[in-house]
């Protein structure tokens, strides 16, 4: 897997390419494990859950929790999403509603990164 830089779009592109190229192999492997008769029940059940529940709030939460656990186990300094200050937009004359911005970094990750990447991968596989 390529190293991922949060500031370089080329890095985003490379990561998505790697995920796109390996995702189908990962799904095939999970399907084989879930369908295997000689596989143990726990591995089969886990593989089936990964296939079904990948695009869900719980799937995203599990991924974030695994990342935090990995950070703790490996003594990494970054363990949580960076807190971003609330940005306020000036209301123009005559406007009656404010644009609502996502202020929770985990929600922002879920909508802007997690679902977007999964949707891109799923549509690529389907095409």
């Amino acid at each position: 897997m390529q190293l991922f830089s949060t500031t370089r779009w080329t890095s985003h592109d490379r990561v998505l390419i790697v995920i796109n190229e390996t995702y189908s192999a990962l799904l095939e492997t999970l399907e084989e494990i879930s369908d295997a008769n000689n596989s143990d029940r726990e591995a089969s059940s886990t593989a089936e859950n990964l296939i079904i529940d990948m695009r869900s709030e719980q799937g995203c939460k599990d991924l974030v929790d695994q990342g935090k656990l990995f950070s703790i186990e490996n003594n990494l300094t970054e363990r949580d999403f960076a807190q971003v200050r609330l940005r306020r937009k000036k209301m123009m004359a005559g406007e009656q509603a404010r644009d609502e911005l996502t202020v929770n970094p985990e929600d922002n990750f879920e909508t802007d990164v997690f679902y977007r990447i999964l949707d891109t991968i799923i549509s690529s596989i389907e095409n």
Side-chain angles (χ1 to χ4, degrees):
M1 185 70 74
Q2 295 284 331
L3 292 177
F4 180 68
S5 168
T6 58
T7 58
R8 301 282 182 217
W9 284 107
T10 55
S11 179
H12 290 265
D13 180 57
R14 283 189 221 118
V15 169
L16 288 174
I17 289 170
V18 169
I19 290 171
N20 188 24
E21 290 173 352
T22 60
Y23 185 74
S24 59
L26 174 65
L27 272 181
E28 287 176 23
T29 303
L30 289 173
E31 287 172 0
E32 286 180 22
I33 292 171
S34 67
D35 293 339
N37 293 332
N38 59 356
S39 176
D40 66 1
R41 289 183 97 119
E42 185 177 343
S44 179
S45 175
T46 302
E48 184 65 30
N49 287 335
L50 285 173
I51 293 170
I52 294 169
D53 293 335
M54 201 172 285
R55 195 189 186 289
S56 67
E57 286 184 32
Q58 187 61 43
C60 182
K61 183 182 179 318
D62 291 344
L63 178 70
V64 170
D65 290 345
Q66 288 175 5
K68 288 179 182 180
L69 182 62
F70 177 83
S71 296
I72 292 168
E73 289 173 349
N74 293 288
N75 296 321
L76 300 177
T77 57
E78 297 291 328
R79 295 187 178 137
D80 294 311
F81 290 105
Q83 295 294 323
V84 180
R85 70 177 179 86
L86 179 62
R87 294 182 182 142
R88 303 217 183 254
K89 290 187 176 183
K90 182 178 177 183
M91 285 182 57
M92 302 303 282
E95 286 186 329
Q96 296 179 3
R98 292 189 179 271
D99 292 335
E100 291 187 28
L101 300 173
T102 305
V103 293
N104 183 348
E106 289 188 9
D107 291 342
N108 195 24
F109 169 79
E110 182 178 347
T111 56
D112 292 345
V113 179
F114 184 73
Y115 288 139
R116 188 173 292 177
I117 289 173
L118 282 179
D119 290 343
T120 301
I121 291 168
I122 290 168
S123 67
S124 176
I125 289 170
E126 289 174 352
N127 290 338

